[in-house]
Amino acid sequence: MPRSFPPTLAEHHRRIDPSEWDGVYVVGDVHGCLEALDRLVDAVALSPDDLLVFVGDLVQKGPDSAGVVERVRSAENMCSVRGNSEEQLLGGDAALPELDRDALAWIESLPIAISWDGALVVHGGVDPDTPLAAHSAADLQTMRATVPGGGYDGPLWFESYEGPPRVFFGHTVLDEPLVTEWAVGLDTGCVCGGSLTAYCVGDGTVHQVPGRQPGLERDDSRIVSTAHYQDV
């Protein structure tokens, strides 16, 4: 299956070179949990020569979306893709009055995908039955089930996906990080009482801090157990 990036989304795609950084960490959905983000930065001992790459959904649901946006956009060693929560803001389907015009302009400037050799960071995922070049922005931001309306009932896209590239993603809330050969899932429900997770690209280590307590209520049927998917 072709794995070239959709040419129609070229302007929303950012390439990075991990060799320019001492370490690269991919971070799950933050959802306005600034305090947890600060603790995660401490947990990985982030230096100015390390890069944090976020899978999107920096905003909404949590207590300090504006603080998270300011934290990430003011740091030269942090970058993010645009998740569906950011897209809802830009489309007028959600409102965060605390975000000023500059913050919204920065959100609008975020890419849909970040990639490097052998790896792709998107918010939702990819359809394993569709060439990457045929994906839309909405596909990459919201992919979860491989059948229309499947949602958390599945089948989930990463169950049958075989890369390359290896896809780093959020959006689907997991009880634990998902780490397989071709997929790394990092939304571990920080805002709903879970944890905030970072994956070190260089050595494969996982770093976690507890999320906001108490978290938002979330039905167990909308939290995926990763026990059956782990293979590396």
Side-chain angles (χ1 to χ4, degrees), residues 175-193:
D175 63 345
E176 295 291 341
L178 173 76
V179 181
T180 71
E181 181 180 5
W182 298 117
V184 179
L186 295 165
D187 183 358
T188 46
C190 175
V191 76
C192 54

Side-chain angles (χ1 to χ4, degrees), residues 22-83:
D22 287 349
V24 176
Y25 299 85
V26 186
V27 182
D29 303 35
V30 180
H31 277 304
C33 296
L34 177 61
E35 189 267 343
L37 174 56
D38 286 340
R39 283 189 286 111
L40 185 65
V41 167
D42 290 341
V44 302
L46 191 75
S47 82
D49 296 315
D50 296 322
L51 178 68
L52 286 192
V53 181
F54 294 84
V55 300
D57 277 14
L58 299 173
V59 300
Q60 294 199 60
K61 301 180 181 180
D64 194 358
S65 291
V68 171
V69 168
E70 180 58 28
R71 181 81 166 87
V72 177
R73 76 181 180 117
S74 63
E76 294 184 358
N77 62 340
M78 296 185 187
C79 60
S80 180
V81 299
R82 199 161 75 218

Side-chain angles (χ1 to χ4, degrees), residues 209-232:
V209 296
R212 186 168 65 97
Q213 298 290 339
L216 299 176
E217 293 293 328
R218 189 175 184 89
D219 190 279
D220 287 345
S221 66
R222 298 177 66 237
I223 301 175
V224 174
S225 172
T226 64
H228 300 298
Y229 302 118
Q230 312 285 5
D231 64 11
V232 294

